[in-house]
Amino acid sequence: MSSIILMFLVRFLQVNNSQQNILIILNWNIGKSLPFVFQLLRVQSPEGTARVEVLDSDVTAHLFERIYEALNLNSFAFTLHKDRQRKEEITSSKSRQLRDCGLCHGDMIYLNPVNGAVLFEQSSTSSETHRKPLSESSRPVQSSEPGPSTSKVTLPIPPPPPGAPEEDEVDLQLYKVSGLIERQRDEKLCRHNLNGKCVHCTPLEPWDEEYLKEHNIKHMSFHSYLRKITSKNFVSLEELSCKIKPGCREHPAWPRGICSKCQPGAVTLMRQPYRHTDNVLFEHANLVERFLSYWRATGHQRLAWLYGQYESHPDVPLGIRARVAAIYEPPQSSSRDCIALETDPREELVQQIAQRLGLRRVGWIFTDLVPLDVSKGTVKHIRGVDTHFLSAQECITAGHYQNLHPSACRHAASGYFGSKFVTVCVSGDSSEQVHLEGYQVSGQCGALVRDRVLLPTRDAPDLAYVRDSSEHQYVPDVYYKERDEYGNEVGVSAKRLPVAYLLVDVPCGVAVGGPPTFGATATFPPANRPLQQHLQTLQALHRHIAASDSFLEAMSDLHVLLYLASNEALALGMESLAPLLDAVRLRDGDAAEAWRALPSAATLLHLAAADTGAEGVRAEGGRAVWTCAVCTFHNPPAAASCDMCAMPR
């Protein structure tokens, strides 16, 4: 009977946390052994270590209750184990006693939350949450699709060194963005409060492979790659060099001598895991249709420059998108199979106009179209996995253009690393329809092109040839990886190199909605087209202005602005065009009308109207001159051949 009384007394003092009195009672000698043993157990939790007092005759469910009260937990969503490896679990039971679990006085047990549950009270770190009304702050958060974060944070990004080239505005913006992929609270898996986070709702890193694969993103963005390699340390980016280091005095110059200090190392080509530009977006479909009109009229291929600007891409974590606003076709001679660029005397003028409009050259586009059925409008499917995506010659050209447009980067030793310049190919897809495909070449390809290592092949467009060393140039060994018949990855000499190792895919698309930079219904002929129907004349300018809804809409065209600055009748300088360019950039119709009233502009527009009237009078009288399609010479109406080049009418 005394032992039963003693047990109830210990239990009463245990509930009231009277540890000192319990010890006094247990030291009291009652002359016989007790049927229970007092135990002091240590509990290690994520918030620290605590102590609980139990009896060895208590059931394990009572141990869970004692720990719940001692640690002031939010719920019973936790497990207990006797070891750190979580192999010996203590289950909650109302029949099993603690002595059956093998627990002794002073033992350590380990507490772990279940499914990331938040067991301890957490104070909110957001002052905005405390200012919300109770009804709003207690409202459950709806689960939504995870997406890249645009929150501004202070990141340990090193400042650019003094004298470094100025980085693009989009790069400066992305340096300030956290880039974490935010995930909302999952109602089924998350068991914590609204202020907590667990493995199911913790933000993901922008280079998370599962997220990129789930959203069909083939390559991570360049800024995600930077965050990945500089997450814990500073990294200096170095571009590949295939040239002999100059200044070595230990031996004569090549080809008489070379050493390991100045000799470039062997190159092993690898697929580039990132891309500098993640998407190409045309502002409206009429841009591409206007570009393709030359091929539809002649059947000859065409090449052009893409003008636009770089902006952040919301669908790719820390991504960059090239937004194309205009397409300019430089002087060129083309045929069904080839294109040859010619010297452009107005190239600098185009650059000045584009810069004043806030645009820059962001890429190039070319056609490779062969008609299949003219009545149906289908084209041949000549590019794909079985043939090639870009030929070796096109890869070398793309690498050359990317080297001409390097991207400034503060992490690079030279101040530049890679390029955002894109390549767009217009060809037939598997459904025999006109299709756009965007590409970039890797940094290794750009280095091989810059150092004159790659050559195109004549018989296989999908293979490039690595130049042999000569007395004028040393070429290092180039390898690429492939799997042999046993499944092993081995290095293969890249004398004949598959250009697929050099390509990076860039998706293309057309914007839906949103005001474009230039009008989508322009009828003025593009520049540098030697066709009778595509000549830039004063009559075409007058007809274009008359067909437009407003004068601002008529002037919102790169080809119109270029013609105003370079026509033979009355060319307007950049000083005269500056107010009009600002009006087009700001979409200010009143400023455009004010420029129209200026003497120089009014004179040119009056000449265009007068020339159009004179052309109409000549047409009515049947005495209209005709223009030669070859040399553009104006011939009298009775002439059957051109007086200048003798070509037939």
Side-chain angles (χ1 to χ4, degrees):
M1 180 63 68
S2 60
S3 61
I4 297 176
I5 297 175
L6 182 59
M7 180 184 298
F8 280 103
L9 182 59
V10 170
R11 180 72 66 198
F12 173 76
L13 295 176
Q14 186 184 44
V15 172
N16 292 276
N17 296 325
S18 300
Q19 182 176 353
Q20 183 177 2
N21 295 331
I22 295 175
L23 294 177
I24 293 174
I25 293 175
L26 292 179
N27 290 329
W28 175 43
N29 186 4
I30 61 175
K32 59 174 67 179
S33 61
L34 297 179
F36 61 90
V37 177
F38 174 80
Q39 293 181 344
L40 186 65
L41 301 178
R42 296 173 295 165
V43 183
Q44 189 178 65
S45 68
E47 295 292 329
T49 305
R51 297 179 180 181
V52 293
E53 300 110 5
V54 293
L55 303 177
D56 66 340
S57 60
D58 289 340
V59 295
T60 57
H62 181 71
L63 175 62
F64 278 75
E65 295 175 358
R66 290 291 300 151
I67 294 176
Y68 176 83
E69 296 172 357
L71 298 180
N72 193 20
L73 302 179
N74 294 331
S75 66
F76 285 91
F78 62 89
T79 59
L80 299 177
H81 296 81
K82 296 175 60 177
D83 57 341
R84 293 180 182 272
Q85 292 74 21
R86 305 181 186 180
K87 296 181 179 180
E88 302 181 19
E89 183 179 359
I90 304 174
T91 59
S92 178
S93 174
K94 294 185 178 181
S95 59
R96 188 182 184 188
Q97 296 181 347
L98 295 181
R99 63 166 64 99
D100 300 332
C101 299
L103 292 175
C104 300
H105 179 70
D107 284 353
M108 175 78 77
I109 58 179
Y110 301 92
L111 181 147
N112 298 285
V114 177
N115 294 330
V118 177
L119 302 176
F120 301 90
E121 292 289 343
Q122 294 184 351
S123 59
S124 176
T125 58
S126 174
S127 59
E128 183 179 355
T129 304
H130 295 287
R131 293 195 298 265
K132 290 183 178 180
L134 181 60
S135 60
E136 182 179 355
S137 60
S138 61
R139 190 178 306 156
V141 179
Q142 298 294 332
S143 178
S144 62
E145 185 73 17
S149 171
T150 57
S151 58
K152 300 297 181 63
V153 294
T154 303
L155 298 174
I157 301 296
E166 183 179 357
E167 295 177 291
D168 295 336
E169 182 66 25
V170 64
D171 292 322
L172 299 178
Q173 294 176 1
L174 293 178
Y175 280 136
K176 303 175 183 178
V177 177
S178 65
L180 297 177
I181 304 171
E182 297 292 343
R183 296 188 295 174
Q184 300 296 339
R185 184 176 182 271
D186 194 309
E187 297 296 338
K188 296 181 179 179
L189 300 177
C190 297
R191 300 186 179 182
H192 50 78
N193 53 23
L194 298 179
N195 297 326
K197 291 288 185 182
C198 67
V199 295
H200 303 290
C201 60
T202 304
L204 301 175
E205 296 292 348
W207 61 83
D208 186 78
E209 295 183 1
E210 294 184 1
Y211 176 85
L212 298 179
K213 185 177 181 181
E214 179 183 355
H215 290 76
N216 197 23
I217 302 175
K218 191 173 181 180
H219 304 274
M220 73 176 76
S221 64
F222 177 66
H223 278 266
S224 298
Y225 175 74
L226 285 181
R227 302 288 174 88
K228 183 177 182 179
I229 64 176
T230 60
S231 57
K232 295 183 179 180
N233 51 6
F234 177 77
V235 176
S236 179
L237 301 176
E238 295 283 349
E239 289 192 337
L240 175 67
S241 177
C242 300
K243 293 183 177 181
I244 298 177
K245 296 180 181 180
C248 187
R249 301 180 179 179
E250 298 183 1
H251 55 80
W254 175 264
R256 298 174 56 190
I258 194 172
C259 66
S260 59
K261 295 182 180 179
C262 60
Q263 178 183 4
V267 179
T268 301
L269 299 177
M270 303 180 65
R271 298 187 185 274
Q272 187 169 283
Y274 62 89
R275 55 191 175 198
H276 292 268
T277 303
D278 301 278
N279 187 264
V280 180
L281 184 69
F282 292 87
E283 289 191 345
H284 50 83
N286 189 51
L287 276 173
V288 182
E289 291 296 329
R290 195 178 182 187
F291 171 65
L292 294 178
S293 62
Y294 182 85
W295 170 79
R296 291 193 173 100
T298 63
H300 294 177
Q301 309 303 333
R302 199 67 173 166
L303 183 148
W305 304 120
L306 303 177
Y307 281 88
Q309 54 189 345
Y310 297 110
E311 60 185 11
S312 60
H313 187 31
D315 297 335
V316 178
L318 299 177
I320 295 177
R321 177 171 62 191
R323 189 179 186 91
V324 180
I327 298 179
Y328 171 71
E329 305 169 21
Q332 57 194 280
S333 58
S334 60
S335 64
R336 182 179 178 272
D337 301 320
C338 65
I339 303 172
L341 289 181
E342 300 174 356
T343 304
D344 188 2
R346 296 185 291 183
E347 181 178 4
E348 184 178 354
L349 182 59
V350 176
Q351 294 287 76
Q352 294 177 359
I353 294 176
Q355 184 178 5
R356 190 64 184 249
L357 294 172
L359 305 177
R360 57 187 295 186
R361 190 181 294 180
V362 298
W364 67 298
I365 183 174
F366 67 94
T367 62
D368 185 15
L369 297 168
V370 179
L372 181 63
D373 191 341
V374 180
S375 61
K376 296 181 181 180
T378 57
V379 293
K380 291 184 179 181
H381 179 217
I382 57 178
R383 294 175 182 256
V385 179
D386 299 331
T387 55
H388 65 283
F389 295 103
L390 284 186
S391 66
Q393 179 64 63
E394 293 161 355
C395 288
I396 294 174
T397 305
H400 172 68
Y401 289 149
Q402 289 183 200
N403 291 333
L404 293 179
H405 301 83
S407 179
C409 180
R410 64 183 64 182
H411 295 279
S414 63
Y416 295 95
F417 188 81
S419 173
K420 301 184 183 72
F421 204 76
V422 297
T423 300
V424 179
C425 175
V426 186
S427 185
D429 59 4
S430 57
S431 60
E432 300 176 348
Q433 300 296 322
V434 177
H435 183 64
L436 301 179
E437 283 291 344
Y439 300 97
Q440 281 189 310
V441 295
S442 64
Q444 290 181 325
C445 177
L448 295 177
V449 173
R450 181 196 62 225
D451 297 337
R452 301 178 61 191
V453 174
L454 282 186
L455 294 174
T457 54
R458 178 179 300 178
D459 55 344
D462 59 327
L463 296 177
Y465 184 80
V466 176
R467 188 191 299 267
D468 296 325
S469 296
S470 64
E471 61 179 7
H472 303 289
Q473 179 184 4
Y474 173 80
V475 178
D477 295 331
V478 181
Y479 300 93
Y480 67 92
K481 298 285 187 178
E482 73 171 10
R483 294 191 178 276
D484 58 9
E485 62 271 16
Y486 303 104
N488 300 321
E489 194 175 53
V490 296
V492 181
S493 177
K495 280 301 179 182
R496 291 173 66 88
L497 167 67
V499 296
Y501 281 86
L502 310 175
L503 290 180
V504 178
D505 297 337
V506 181
C508 295
V510 179
V512 178
T517 304
F518 297 126
T521 59
T523 59
F524 191 71
N528 304 316
R529 287 191 176 181
L531 295 177
Q532 175 66 28
Q533 301 85 359
H534 295 203
L535 292 179
Q536 291 184 337
T537 60
L538 292 176
Q539 295 91 345
L541 176 63
H542 181 77
R543 288 193 298 266
H544 171 70
I545 297 175
S548 302
D549 297 335
S550 63
F551 184 73
L552 177 63
E553 187 72 17
M555 295 296 103
S556 298
D557 185 9
L558 179 63
H559 299 283
V560 172
L561 298 174
L562 178 62
Y563 180 73
L564 295 179
S566 60
N567 68 89
E568 298 179 355
L570 181 61
L572 304 179
M574 287 300 298
E575 296 182 0
S576 302
L577 284 177
L580 178 61
L581 297 177
D582 295 338
V584 172
R585 179 172 54 87
L586 301 175
R587 308 296 297 173
D588 191 348
D590 296 336
E593 292 292 342
W595 180 87
R596 185 179 188 178
L598 295 178
S600 57
T603 302
L604 179 61
L605 297 179
H606 181 73
L607 290 176
D611 197 34
T612 304
E615 183 70 18
V617 171
R618 290 195 299 267
E620 292 178 1
R623 298 186 302 274
V625 298
W626 61 275
T627 305
C628 178
V630 178
C631 66
T632 69
F633 183 75
H634 292 272
N635 297 278
S641 61
C642 180
D643 293 341
M644 179 62 66
C645 64
M647 294 298 292
R649 183 173 182 178

